[in-house]
Amino acid sequence: MSDTTKSKNDFIREIIAEDLESGKHATTITRFPPEPNGYLHIGHAKAICLNFGIARENAGSGARCHLRFDDTNPEKEEVEYVESIKEDVAWLGFDWGGHLYYASDYFEFFHDCAVALIEKGLAYVDEQTPEQIKETRGNLQTPGTPSPYRDRPVAESLDLFAQMRAGDFKEGEAVLRAKIDMASSNMVMRDPVIYRVIHSPHHNTGDAWCIYPMYDFAHPLEDAHEHITHSLCTLEFEIHRPFYDWVIEHCPVPARPRQIEFARLNLTYTVMSKRKLLTLVKEGHVEGWDDPRMPTLSGLRRRGVPPEAIVKFCERIGITKFNGTTDVALLEFEIRDFLNREAQRRMAVLDPVKVVLENYEEGRSEEVDVVNNPEKPEEGSRKVKLGRELWIERDDFMEDPPRKFFRLGPDRHVRLRGGYIIKCVGFEKGEDGEITEIRCEYLPDTVGRDAPEGVQCKAAIHWVSAEFGAEAEVRLYDRLFTEEDPDGAEGGFVSVLNPESKQTVMARVEPSLAGVEPEWRCQFERLGYFVADRRDHVPGERPVFNRTVGLRDSWAKKK
Ligand code: ATP
Ligand code: MG
């Protein structure tokens, strides 16, 4: 395991180490419990890396992490989400090793626990309307008012609960509530509802049930049922912990998991909640859950983000008890850091202008060697074909360049990456004043050699042969929002969408790029990191590339 993994330490890992050492637990069992009501996002990656990471680090003692679908609400959940979640967890590099569970498989157990609570006089069927229940909860200053049904006999509640299960009640006509303390200073403890009637079919259990447990009741029971030792959740659940413990205390459970809270991940220029991401998809602001601008794992994947960079990012931000917002530039830094080391270089011209080498014979061509990855000399070089006409980037030429501009201009020299030094001897302009063609001469014997004496050549530019290169659709993605805190925008997050978050150009690319497999990543020299699109790129037929990230942080400059 790498050094960074070894040095990882945080208050949760400390607790786990202590529990192993003291013998409180023989091993550690964690879980990642997504609700299948949307795609996973980078915030979930933090929880995945924590839970699966702890299991991996403690594998020696038999530790494991369960992937559990928290599918207790029949109304919002879909099978499509289940499949995407499994794919995303595996893509990040984690393995549930056969421990894949569905909370909906425990419905009978939840029901038995509810019955046990009623029998102990710790739960009752309440027939108040949802509005009455809400109104009588009181607030932080005033205690709640007990329901008139609170002290009904156990037998009556048992009977009514059975009727609820049998479908004799409509939605909202009756609920089961825990009987705790209507005057508790913690609102969560004021007789929370633990079961309600919902007449909707469930994706797993179909019409078998028409009563469903509330999240706060089901979650501790799911954990206990699976013998989870440490149930790690985000800070919002801190005030729910007394109820978590109450359920474990009073229900017939086979284990006593401990809930520990940590701060959730928030990122600048990003919205994270599934509800808001669903809005972006439904209202057509993006092209689906896996749109490369989305903070979903499938979006990041399609954007070309390596899973290793996400895991590294999660390690770097660490686990604390303090809510805050992480600069998205930190994620981008990890992406660049990884790709700079790992990605091969290729040449592509996004805004092409034609160069003609006037002293290079028509019909002649040759191959030059271009280094694949200067960070990894062992990856060697490739042959790229060169001829009389080529494309270079429009902004690598200036008609009237300042002294510090080292690229092409009238009478100036520049090197073609891996190839000749060329000199500009003239140019043509169209009616609109745009340069249409640059005339150059190549300097023989300069491939792989220093500039001849008296020739100033301080830069190398990328190029694509006009004859041998290919055309490719290139999507230039940028941040989806223009504001650092889209959630805080006055007009809502939709009002601060970046209108330039996607620009599509037809680029010229070196021939090899047309044939790469989908998801192949590389650096387009001097332009940024790109990936062959997972969905639309067809090798040899239709090259499509997505920009993952630029070479440096252009937003830092703008600010
Ligand atoms: P959202 O608020 O985005 O809809 P959620 O918490 O409702 O997310 P779940 O499917 O319930 O989504 O989450 C599964 C797990 O992922 C939970 O344990 C939750 O604590 C964790 N999680 C969700 N969002 C984040 C986040 N931003 N940072 C860290 N962990 C998160
Ligand atoms: Mg949730």
Side-chain angles (χ1 to χ4, degrees):
M1 219 157 265
S2 75
D3 293 344
T4 52
T5 321
K6 251 189 254 159
S7 65
K8 258 186 316 203
N9 214 355
D10 52 62
F11 73 99
I12 293 180
R13 287 178 164 90
E14 272 171 22
I15 293 172
I16 285 171
E18 279 164 23
D19 287 350
L20 281 174
E21 203 163 294
S22 72
K24 179 174 176 195
H25 299 295
T27 188
T28 308
I29 307 175
T30 56
R31 87 288 175 262
F32 173 64
E35 186 180 352
N37 62 349
Y39 281 59
L40 297 183
H41 51 60
I42 178 90
H44 292 113
K46 178 175 179 176
I48 293 170
C49 290
L50 176 65
N51 284 291
F52 282 96
I54 286 172
R56 186 181 284 173
E57 291 152 33
N58 294 286
S61 67
R64 61 178 198 250
C65 177
H66 297 181
L67 174 59
R68 179 207 306 148
F69 289 102
D70 209 327
D71 57 349
T72 52
N73 182 345
E75 285 173 319
K76 297 181 296 180
E77 294 152 6
E78 283 177 37
V79 180
E80 173 198 350
Y81 298 137
V82 169
E83 290 311 313
S84 76
I85 289 168
K86 285 198 262 181
E87 187 174 324
D88 289 345
V89 172
W91 176 70
L92 274 184
F94 295 105
D95 181 5
W96 48 88
H99 295 282
L100 177 70
Y101 301 107
Y102 293 85
S104 55
D105 286 336
Y106 312 153
F107 279 153
E108 201 67 51
F109 170 63
F110 302 147
H111 173 265
D112 292 348
C113 288
V115 169
L117 289 179
I118 302 172
E119 283 169 346
K120 289 186 183 176
L122 292 174
Y124 59 97
V125 171
D126 193 349
E127 291 170 84
Q128 294 185 102
T129 64
E131 295 72 37
Q132 285 170 326
I133 291 176
K134 207 168 151 209
E135 280 160 18
T136 52
R137 269 183 89 214
N139 54 38
L140 289 177
Q141 286 77 41
T142 351
T145 316
S147 162
Y149 302 100
R150 193 172 199 264
D151 291 318
R152 75 188 337 163
V154 165
E156 200 174 297
S157 277
L158 280 174
D159 187 43
L160 288 166
F161 190 54
Q163 288 178 33
M164 281 169 67
R165 179 180 184 174
D168 298 346
F169 284 95
K170 294 203 193 73
E171 292 181 19
E173 282 183 345
V175 293
L176 185 69
R177 295 178 75 174
K179 190 171 177 178
I180 308 178
D181 179 3
M182 287 304 288
S184 172
S185 57
N186 183 344
M187 298 285 291
V188 173
M189 301 298 271
R190 292 187 187 174
D191 290 13
V193 172
I194 59 178
Y195 257 98
R196 66 225 195 277
V197 174
I198 301 179
H199 289 283
S200 295
H202 185 278
H203 74 94
N204 181 21
T205 54
D207 293 325
W209 294 88
C210 60
I211 52 171
Y212 291 92
M214 299 298 286
Y215 177 90
D216 274 355
F217 178 59
H219 204 83
L221 295 177
E222 294 160 23
D223 287 340
H225 191 71
E226 294 176 18
H227 293 257
I228 299 301
T229 54
H230 301 83
S231 175
L232 313 177
C233 64
T234 43
L235 281 181
E236 322 78 273
F237 290 97
E238 196 163 14
I239 53 161
H240 299 248
R241 188 176 353 124
F243 184 58
Y244 186 103
D245 291 340
W246 186 93
V247 172
I248 297 297
E249 174 80 29
H250 297 289
C251 290
V253 294
R256 303 181 67 84
R258 169 173 175 194
Q259 172 178 310
I260 308 172
E261 309 85 17
F262 64 95
R264 64 194 294 118
L265 171 67
N266 299 301
L267 274 184
T268 57
Y269 296 97
T270 309
V271 297
M272 204 78 97
S273 107
K274 280 186 276 195
R275 192 174 49 78
K276 289 176 185 161
L277 298 178
L278 183 62
T279 302
L280 290 173
V281 173
K282 284 230 166 115
E283 293 183 1
H285 303 296
V286 294
E287 293 159 34
W289 282 100
D290 72 346
D291 186 297
R293 293 164 291 182
M294 290 281 270
T296 51
L297 295 180
S298 53
L300 292 164
R301 175 175 183 177
R302 219 179 141 193
R303 177 89 171 236
V305 174
E308 295 90 340
I310 296 177
V311 172
K312 189 74 184 295
F313 167 75
C314 289
E315 270 175 29
R316 200 164 285 253
I317 56 176
I319 298 295
T320 69
K321 275 259 184 207
F322 309 103
N323 272 326
T325 302
T326 303
D327 192 338
V328 73
L330 195 64
L331 174 62
E332 293 165 354
F333 170 85
E334 292 298 346
I335 298 168
R336 284 190 197 99
D337 186 58
F338 180 87
L339 292 175
N340 178 48
R341 263 180 286 118
E342 302 297 329
Q344 292 205 350
R345 276 54 168 171
R346 289 293 183 273
M347 294 195 288
V349 176
L350 299 185
D351 185 11
V353 63
K354 176 79 73 70
V355 166
V356 180
L357 306 179
E358 296 196 316
N359 59 341
Y360 198 94
E361 299 81 351
E362 303 231 14
R364 177 182 160 193
S365 70
E366 67 196 276
E367 286 179 326
V368 296
D369 272 317
V370 186
V371 171
N372 282 331
N373 185 353
E375 303 286 322
K376 289 192 164 181
E378 68 274 19
E379 293 195 358
S381 61
R382 68 193 181 283
K383 304 264 184 224
V384 186
K385 227 168 167 186
L386 179 85
R388 179 180 155 91
E389 297 195 353
L390 38 109
W391 302 103
I392 67 164
E393 214 68 64
R394 189 166 288 279
D395 66 7
D396 280 341
F397 175 83
M398 278 183 90
E399 204 179 322
D400 190 12
R403 253 171 45 102
K404 283 277 164 80
F405 185 84
F406 295 123
R407 290 164 281 162
L408 209 52
D411 294 320
R412 295 200 180 197
H413 291 88
V414 79
R415 181 182 293 279
L416 299 174
R417 170 79 78 221
Y420 293 104
I421 293 175
I422 60 172
K423 177 188 180 183
C424 172
V425 295
F427 58 88
E428 314 297 333
K429 266 187 182 179
E431 274 171 16
D432 54 359
E434 277 230 324
I435 307 285
T436 51
E437 189 175 295
I438 303 168
R439 291 187 280 115
C440 292
E441 287 180 358
Y442 80 101
L443 276 56
D445 298 326
T446 50
V447 176
R449 294 197 193 161
D450 288 343
E453 215 152 302
V455 170
Q456 269 232 24
C457 178
K458 290 195 173 171
I461 61 172
H462 58 275
W463 53 274
V464 169
S465 163
E467 199 179 337
F468 308 110
E471 270 194 308
E473 180 179 325
V474 175
R475 298 159 181 173
L476 302 172
Y477 292 109
D478 201 348
R479 293 179 184 170
L480 188 52
F481 297 100
T482 53
E483 294 289 317
E484 212 174 281
D485 176 18
D487 287 319
E490 220 168 278
F493 64 99
V494 170
S495 72
V496 291
L497 282 161
N498 177 4
E500 290 172 9
S501 61
K502 178 183 181 184
Q503 281 167 306
T504 304
V505 298
M506 281 314 285
R508 310 286 171 153
V509 300
E510 64 171 85
S512 66
L513 282 174
V516 300
E517 289 302 310
E519 291 204 78
W520 191 76
R521 303 184 194 100
C522 67
Q523 182 191 109
F524 286 178
E525 289 220 31
R526 304 174 59 226
L527 296 172
Y529 297 98
F530 290 75
V531 67
D533 189 71
R534 259 185 104 190
R535 276 180 190 269
D536 301 333
H537 172 88
V538 185
E541 267 173 53
R542 184 180 174 220
V544 181
F545 290 88
N546 300 331
R547 179 167 70 195
T548 309
V549 67
L551 290 182
R552 54 193 78 77
D553 185 358
S554 56
W555 284 71
K557 260 187 289 170
K558 280 186 218 168
K559 270 201 281 175

